mmCIF file of all heavy atoms in Angstrom:
data_model
loop_
_atom_site.group_PDB
_atom_site.id
_atom_site.type_symbol
_atom_site.label_atom_id
_atom_site.label_comp_id
_atom_site.label_asym_id
_atom_site.label_seq_id
_atom_site.Cartn_x
_atom_site.Cartn_y
_atom_site.Cartn_z
ATOM 1 N N ARG A 59 -10.179 16.828 -16.889
ATOM 2 C CA ARG A 59 -10.994 18.049 -17.406
ATOM 3 C C ARG A 59 -10.010 19.102 -17.964
ATOM 4 O O ARG A 59 -8.902 19.353 -17.499
ATOM 5 C CB ARG A 59 -11.748 18.720 -16.241
ATOM 6 C CG ARG A 59 -12.883 17.816 -15.746
ATOM 7 C CD ARG A 59 -13.740 18.567 -14.731
ATOM 8 N NE ARG A 59 -14.810 17.774 -14.223
ATOM 9 C CZ ARG A 59 -15.973 17.611 -14.733
ATOM 10 N NH1 ARG A 59 -16.171 18.192 -15.900
ATOM 11 N NH2 ARG A 59 -16.879 16.810 -14.193
ATOM 12 N N ALA A 60 -10.447 19.638 -19.116
ATOM 13 C CA ALA A 60 -9.754 20.742 -19.731
ATOM 14 C C ALA A 60 -9.881 21.951 -18.969
ATOM 15 O O ALA A 60 -10.957 22.193 -18.085
ATOM 16 C CB ALA A 60 -10.304 20.987 -21.182
ATOM 17 N N PHE A 61 -8.918 22.900 -19.053
ATOM 18 C CA PHE A 61 -8.988 24.145 -18.253
ATOM 19 C C PHE A 61 -10.179 25.001 -18.693
ATOM 20 O O PHE A 61 -10.736 25.760 -17.899
ATOM 21 C CB PHE A 61 -7.620 24.897 -18.423
ATOM 22 C CG PHE A 61 -7.567 26.177 -17.697
ATOM 23 C CD1 PHE A 61 -7.346 26.159 -16.325
ATOM 24 C CD2 PHE A 61 -7.734 27.403 -18.246
ATOM 25 C CE1 PHE A 61 -7.211 27.302 -15.554
ATOM 26 C CE2 PHE A 61 -7.673 28.556 -17.511
ATOM 27 C CZ PHE A 61 -7.414 28.490 -16.143
ATOM 28 N N SER A 62 -10.614 24.822 -19.954
ATOM 29 C CA SER A 62 -11.737 25.556 -20.470
ATOM 30 C C SER A 62 -13.076 25.047 -19.999
ATOM 31 O O SER A 62 -14.143 25.543 -20.323
ATOM 32 C CB SER A 62 -11.602 25.693 -21.955
ATOM 33 O OG SER A 62 -11.628 24.439 -22.529
ATOM 34 N N ILE A 77 -4.887 27.751 -10.290
ATOM 35 C CA ILE A 77 -4.872 26.724 -11.298
ATOM 36 C C ILE A 77 -4.545 27.386 -12.596
ATOM 37 O O ILE A 77 -4.756 28.602 -12.799
ATOM 38 C CB ILE A 77 -6.158 25.912 -11.413
ATOM 39 C CG1 ILE A 77 -7.319 26.832 -11.696
ATOM 40 C CG2 ILE A 77 -6.459 25.099 -10.165
ATOM 41 C CD1 ILE A 77 -8.671 26.096 -11.949
ATOM 42 N N ALA A 78 -3.935 26.591 -13.562
ATOM 43 C CA ALA A 78 -3.492 27.165 -14.878
ATOM 44 C C ALA A 78 -3.668 26.147 -15.959
ATOM 45 O O ALA A 78 -3.872 24.989 -15.655
ATOM 46 C CB ALA A 78 -2.035 27.643 -14.724
ATOM 47 N N GLN A 79 -3.559 26.632 -17.179
ATOM 48 C CA GLN A 79 -3.749 25.732 -18.322
ATOM 49 C C GLN A 79 -2.417 25.074 -18.632
ATOM 50 O O GLN A 79 -1.384 25.711 -18.767
ATOM 51 C CB GLN A 79 -4.297 26.451 -19.474
ATOM 52 C CG GLN A 79 -4.591 25.603 -20.626
ATOM 53 C CD GLN A 79 -5.404 26.294 -21.768
ATOM 54 O OE1 GLN A 79 -6.051 27.354 -21.474
ATOM 55 N NE2 GLN A 79 -5.517 25.727 -22.944
ATOM 56 N N MET A 80 -2.420 23.726 -18.841
ATOM 57 C CA MET A 80 -1.266 22.990 -19.215
ATOM 58 C C MET A 80 -1.095 23.117 -20.750
ATOM 59 O O MET A 80 -2.053 23.417 -21.510
ATOM 60 C CB MET A 80 -1.369 21.457 -18.845
ATOM 61 C CG MET A 80 -1.494 21.308 -17.293
ATOM 62 S SD MET A 80 0.061 21.655 -16.421
ATOM 63 C CE MET A 80 1.093 20.377 -16.996
ATOM 64 N N PRO A 81 0.098 22.861 -21.277
ATOM 65 C CA PRO A 81 0.216 22.860 -22.783
ATOM 66 C C PRO A 81 -0.660 21.917 -23.494
ATOM 67 O O PRO A 81 -1.072 22.255 -24.609
ATOM 68 C CB PRO A 81 1.724 22.455 -22.952
ATOM 69 C CG PRO A 81 2.369 22.764 -21.673
ATOM 70 C CD PRO A 81 1.370 22.547 -20.595
ATOM 71 N N SER A 82 -1.134 20.888 -22.883
ATOM 72 C CA SER A 82 -2.057 19.977 -23.512
ATOM 73 C C SER A 82 -3.521 20.397 -23.428
ATOM 74 O O SER A 82 -4.386 19.789 -23.998
ATOM 75 C CB SER A 82 -1.901 18.543 -22.869
ATOM 76 O OG SER A 82 -2.222 18.601 -21.586
ATOM 77 N N GLY A 83 -3.733 21.528 -22.730
ATOM 78 C CA GLY A 83 -5.122 22.025 -22.585
ATOM 79 C C GLY A 83 -5.769 21.591 -21.314
ATOM 80 O O GLY A 83 -6.806 22.001 -20.952
ATOM 81 N N THR A 84 -5.139 20.622 -20.532
ATOM 82 C CA THR A 84 -5.709 20.178 -19.344
ATOM 83 C C THR A 84 -5.457 21.211 -18.211
ATOM 84 O O THR A 84 -4.820 22.140 -18.427
ATOM 85 C CB THR A 84 -5.130 18.803 -18.891
ATOM 86 O OG1 THR A 84 -3.709 18.915 -18.834
ATOM 87 C CG2 THR A 84 -5.479 17.730 -19.991
ATOM 88 N N THR A 85 -5.973 20.875 -17.020
ATOM 89 C CA THR A 85 -5.844 21.765 -15.872
ATOM 90 C C THR A 85 -4.550 21.466 -15.056
ATOM 91 O O THR A 85 -4.314 20.271 -14.747
ATOM 92 C CB THR A 85 -7.064 21.643 -15.003
ATOM 93 O OG1 THR A 85 -8.262 21.881 -15.782
ATOM 94 C CG2 THR A 85 -7.047 22.652 -13.799
ATOM 95 N N GLY A 86 -3.830 22.461 -14.651
ATOM 96 C CA GLY A 86 -2.713 22.344 -13.921
ATOM 97 C C GLY A 86 -2.772 23.116 -12.580
ATOM 98 O O GLY A 86 -3.675 24.010 -12.498
ATOM 99 N N ILE A 87 -1.948 22.823 -11.657
ATOM 100 C CA ILE A 87 -1.966 23.542 -10.294
ATOM 101 C C ILE A 87 -0.644 24.383 -10.198
ATOM 102 O O ILE A 87 0.385 23.814 -10.315
ATOM 103 C CB ILE A 87 -2.152 22.538 -9.171
ATOM 104 C CG1 ILE A 87 -3.481 21.830 -9.286
ATOM 105 C CG2 ILE A 87 -2.022 23.299 -7.859
ATOM 106 C CD1 ILE A 87 -3.687 20.764 -8.266
ATOM 107 N N LYS A 88 -0.850 25.657 -9.939
ATOM 108 C CA LYS A 88 0.308 26.593 -9.880
ATOM 109 C C LYS A 88 0.769 26.722 -8.482
ATOM 110 O O LYS A 88 -0.067 27.194 -7.605
ATOM 111 C CB LYS A 88 -0.023 27.915 -10.537
ATOM 112 C CG LYS A 88 1.167 28.850 -10.648
ATOM 113 C CD LYS A 88 0.711 30.288 -11.098
ATOM 114 C CE LYS A 88 0.136 30.254 -12.456
ATOM 115 N NZ LYS A 88 -0.147 31.577 -12.933
ATOM 116 N N LYS A 96 5.967 26.701 -10.112
ATOM 117 C CA LYS A 96 5.844 25.512 -10.864
ATOM 118 C C LYS A 96 4.379 25.247 -11.161
ATOM 119 O O LYS A 96 3.534 25.654 -10.387
ATOM 120 C CB LYS A 96 6.409 24.293 -10.001
ATOM 121 C CG LYS A 96 7.867 24.392 -9.691
ATOM 122 C CD LYS A 96 8.770 23.846 -10.683
ATOM 123 C CE LYS A 96 10.205 23.823 -10.220
ATOM 124 N NZ LYS A 96 11.158 23.212 -11.270
ATOM 125 N N VAL A 97 4.138 24.579 -12.234
ATOM 126 C CA VAL A 97 2.791 24.145 -12.567
ATOM 127 C C VAL A 97 2.753 22.651 -12.704
ATOM 128 O O VAL A 97 3.531 22.045 -13.559
ATOM 129 C CB VAL A 97 2.246 24.769 -13.949
ATOM 130 C CG1 VAL A 97 0.843 24.207 -14.187
ATOM 131 C CG2 VAL A 97 2.259 26.258 -13.774
ATOM 132 N N PHE A 98 2.130 21.970 -11.802
ATOM 133 C CA PHE A 98 1.999 20.476 -11.845
ATOM 134 C C PHE A 98 0.647 20.103 -12.398
ATOM 135 O O PHE A 98 -0.346 20.631 -12.024
ATOM 136 C CB PHE A 98 2.132 19.966 -10.435
ATOM 137 C CG PHE A 98 3.574 20.193 -9.830
ATOM 138 C CD1 PHE A 98 3.745 21.226 -8.882
ATOM 139 C CD2 PHE A 98 4.578 19.400 -10.204
ATOM 140 C CE1 PHE A 98 5.007 21.405 -8.310
ATOM 141 C CE2 PHE A 98 5.909 19.530 -9.635
ATOM 142 C CZ PHE A 98 6.108 20.623 -8.741
ATOM 143 N N SER A 99 0.643 19.031 -13.170
ATOM 144 C CA SER A 99 -0.632 18.468 -13.667
ATOM 145 C C SER A 99 -1.319 17.761 -12.516
ATOM 146 O O SER A 99 -0.711 17.359 -11.505
ATOM 147 C CB SER A 99 -0.367 17.480 -14.782
ATOM 148 O OG SER A 99 0.300 16.320 -14.303
ATOM 149 N N ILE A 100 -2.639 17.529 -12.716
ATOM 150 C CA ILE A 100 -3.370 16.781 -11.735
ATOM 151 C C ILE A 100 -2.888 15.391 -11.547
ATOM 152 O O ILE A 100 -2.799 14.852 -10.494
ATOM 153 C CB ILE A 100 -4.905 16.743 -12.122
ATOM 154 C CG1 ILE A 100 -5.385 18.190 -12.335
ATOM 155 C CG2 ILE A 100 -5.757 16.127 -11.030
ATOM 156 C CD1 ILE A 100 -5.327 19.098 -11.188
ATOM 157 N N GLU A 101 -2.406 14.727 -12.667
ATOM 158 C CA GLU A 101 -1.873 13.439 -12.645
ATOM 159 C C GLU A 101 -0.600 13.416 -11.761
ATOM 160 O O GLU A 101 -0.297 12.431 -11.010
ATOM 161 C CB GLU A 101 -1.511 12.927 -13.990
ATOM 162 C CG GLU A 101 -2.731 12.636 -14.908
ATOM 163 C CD GLU A 101 -3.297 13.896 -15.509
ATOM 164 O OE1 GLU A 101 -2.611 14.983 -15.402
ATOM 165 O OE2 GLU A 101 -4.313 13.825 -16.225
ATOM 166 N N GLN A 102 0.266 14.425 -11.859
ATOM 167 C CA GLN A 102 1.420 14.461 -11.090
ATOM 168 C C GLN A 102 1.136 14.560 -9.507
ATOM 169 O O GLN A 102 1.758 13.899 -8.746
ATOM 170 C CB GLN A 102 2.311 15.684 -11.520
ATOM 171 C CG GLN A 102 3.101 15.511 -12.778
ATOM 172 C CD GLN A 102 3.915 16.757 -13.078
ATOM 173 O OE1 GLN A 102 3.415 17.709 -13.520
ATOM 174 N NE2 GLN A 102 5.193 16.641 -12.785
ATOM 175 N N GLN A 500 -7.329 10.746 -26.284
ATOM 176 C CA GLN A 500 -7.600 12.152 -26.118
ATOM 177 C C GLN A 500 -6.727 12.796 -24.986
ATOM 178 O O GLN A 500 -6.140 13.809 -25.179
ATOM 179 C CB GLN A 500 -9.108 12.389 -25.885
ATOM 180 C CG GLN A 500 -9.542 13.801 -25.741
ATOM 181 C CD GLN A 500 -9.595 14.494 -27.087
ATOM 182 O OE1 GLN A 500 -9.058 13.975 -28.056
ATOM 183 N NE2 GLN A 500 -10.007 15.710 -27.086
ATOM 184 N N TRP A 501 -6.779 12.100 -23.796
ATOM 185 C CA TRP A 501 -6.092 12.737 -22.653
ATOM 186 C C TRP A 501 -4.863 11.970 -22.150
ATOM 187 O O TRP A 501 -4.349 12.278 -21.086
ATOM 188 C CB TRP A 501 -7.092 12.890 -21.481
ATOM 189 C CG TRP A 501 -8.224 13.776 -21.852
ATOM 190 C CD1 TRP A 501 -9.528 13.440 -22.001
ATOM 191 C CD2 TRP A 501 -8.216 15.176 -22.051
ATOM 192 N NE1 TRP A 501 -10.322 14.539 -22.336
ATOM 193 C CE2 TRP A 501 -9.496 15.658 -22.391
ATOM 194 C CE3 TRP A 501 -7.155 16.198 -22.030
ATOM 195 C CZ2 TRP A 501 -9.833 16.943 -22.637
ATOM 196 C CZ3 TRP A 501 -7.477 17.502 -22.270
ATOM 197 C CH2 TRP A 501 -8.852 17.902 -22.588
ATOM 198 N N GLN A 502 -4.506 10.917 -22.910
ATOM 199 C CA GLN A 502 -3.299 10.185 -22.400
ATOM 200 C C GLN A 502 -2.040 10.916 -22.617
ATOM 201 O O GLN A 502 -1.881 11.667 -23.593
ATOM 202 C CB GLN A 502 -3.239 8.886 -23.227
ATOM 203 C CG GLN A 502 -2.130 7.974 -22.729
ATOM 204 C CD GLN A 502 -2.083 6.665 -23.436
ATOM 205 O OE1 GLN A 502 -3.158 5.944 -23.505
ATOM 206 N NE2 GLN A 502 -1.031 6.252 -24.044
ATOM 207 N N LEU A 503 -1.133 10.825 -21.578
ATOM 208 C CA LEU A 503 0.159 11.553 -21.612
ATOM 209 C C LEU A 503 0.993 10.903 -22.671
ATOM 210 O O LEU A 503 1.068 9.688 -22.847
ATOM 211 C CB LEU A 503 0.879 11.479 -20.295
ATOM 212 C CG LEU A 503 0.137 12.212 -19.159
ATOM 213 C CD1 LEU A 503 0.872 11.865 -17.795
ATOM 214 C CD2 LEU A 503 0.353 13.778 -19.417
ATOM 215 N N ALA A 504 1.707 11.710 -23.477
ATOM 216 C CA ALA A 504 2.674 11.315 -24.381
ATOM 217 C C ALA A 504 3.855 10.553 -23.666
ATOM 218 O O ALA A 504 4.107 10.898 -22.493
ATOM 219 C CB ALA A 504 3.224 12.385 -25.238
ATOM 220 N N ASP A 506 7.061 10.750 -23.912
ATOM 221 C CA ASP A 506 8.139 11.603 -23.463
ATOM 222 C C ASP A 506 7.752 12.442 -22.285
ATOM 223 O O ASP A 506 8.472 12.710 -21.324
ATOM 224 C CB ASP A 506 8.597 12.556 -24.669
ATOM 225 C CG ASP A 506 7.492 13.345 -25.222
ATOM 226 O OD1 ASP A 506 6.363 13.007 -24.931
ATOM 227 O OD2 ASP A 506 7.745 14.292 -25.919
ATOM 228 N N MET A 507 6.445 12.882 -22.270
ATOM 229 C CA MET A 507 5.985 13.664 -21.119
ATOM 230 C C MET A 507 5.897 12.793 -19.925
ATOM 231 O O MET A 507 6.249 13.177 -18.743
ATOM 232 C CB MET A 507 4.621 14.261 -21.479
ATOM 233 C CG MET A 507 4.036 15.186 -20.351
ATOM 234 S SD MET A 507 5.090 16.627 -19.990
ATOM 235 C CE MET A 507 4.873 17.546 -21.615
ATOM 236 N N LEU A 508 5.422 11.493 -20.093
ATOM 237 C CA LEU A 508 5.314 10.652 -18.986
ATOM 238 C C LEU A 508 6.670 10.357 -18.331
ATOM 239 O O LEU A 508 6.840 10.298 -17.132
ATOM 240 C CB LEU A 508 4.682 9.309 -19.437
ATOM 241 C CG LEU A 508 4.448 8.224 -18.337
ATOM 242 C CD1 LEU A 508 3.605 8.668 -17.226
ATOM 243 C CD2 LEU A 508 3.857 6.924 -18.975
ATOM 244 N N LEU A 510 9.197 12.213 -18.451
ATOM 245 C CA LEU A 510 9.692 13.441 -17.835
ATOM 246 C C LEU A 510 9.021 13.596 -16.416
ATOM 247 O O LEU A 510 9.688 13.950 -15.429
ATOM 248 C CB LEU A 510 9.321 14.675 -18.650
ATOM 249 C CG LEU A 510 9.685 16.090 -18.075
ATOM 250 C CD1 LEU A 510 11.208 16.188 -17.894
ATOM 251 C CD2 LEU A 510 9.238 17.201 -18.954
ATOM 252 N N PHE A 511 7.805 13.270 -16.330
ATOM 253 C CA PHE A 511 7.075 13.287 -14.992
ATOM 254 C C PHE A 511 7.698 12.319 -14.066
ATOM 255 O O PHE A 511 7.798 12.581 -12.880
ATOM 256 C CB PHE A 511 5.566 12.990 -15.202
ATOM 257 C CG PHE A 511 4.768 14.189 -15.832
ATOM 258 C CD1 PHE A 511 3.439 14.018 -16.108
ATOM 259 C CD2 PHE A 511 5.357 15.396 -16.021
ATOM 260 C CE1 PHE A 511 2.764 15.080 -16.609
ATOM 261 C CE2 PHE A 511 4.678 16.489 -16.530
ATOM 262 C CZ PHE A 511 3.310 16.316 -16.900
ATOM 263 N N ASN A 514 11.027 13.650 -12.883
ATOM 264 C CA ASN A 514 10.850 14.738 -11.972
ATOM 265 C C ASN A 514 10.339 14.255 -10.571
ATOM 266 O O ASN A 514 10.844 14.741 -9.532
ATOM 267 C CB ASN A 514 9.803 15.768 -12.481
ATOM 268 C CG ASN A 514 10.349 16.587 -13.671
ATOM 269 O OD1 ASN A 514 11.561 16.634 -13.857
ATOM 270 N ND2 ASN A 514 9.526 17.182 -14.436
#
Side-chain angles (χ1 to χ4, degrees):
R59 293 188 180 274
F61 184 74
S62 58
I77 59 175
Q79 184 168 345
M80 300 290 290
S82 60
T84 58
T85 305
I87 297 175
K88 186 190 296 185
K96 302 271 188 179
V97 178
F98 294 102
S99 69
I100 306 300
E101 292 82 5
Q102 281 181 283
Q500 182 75 351
W501 297 111
Q502 181 174 311
L503 291 172
D506 56 346
M507 185 62 68
L508 179 60
L510 178 62
F511 284 173
N514 290 340

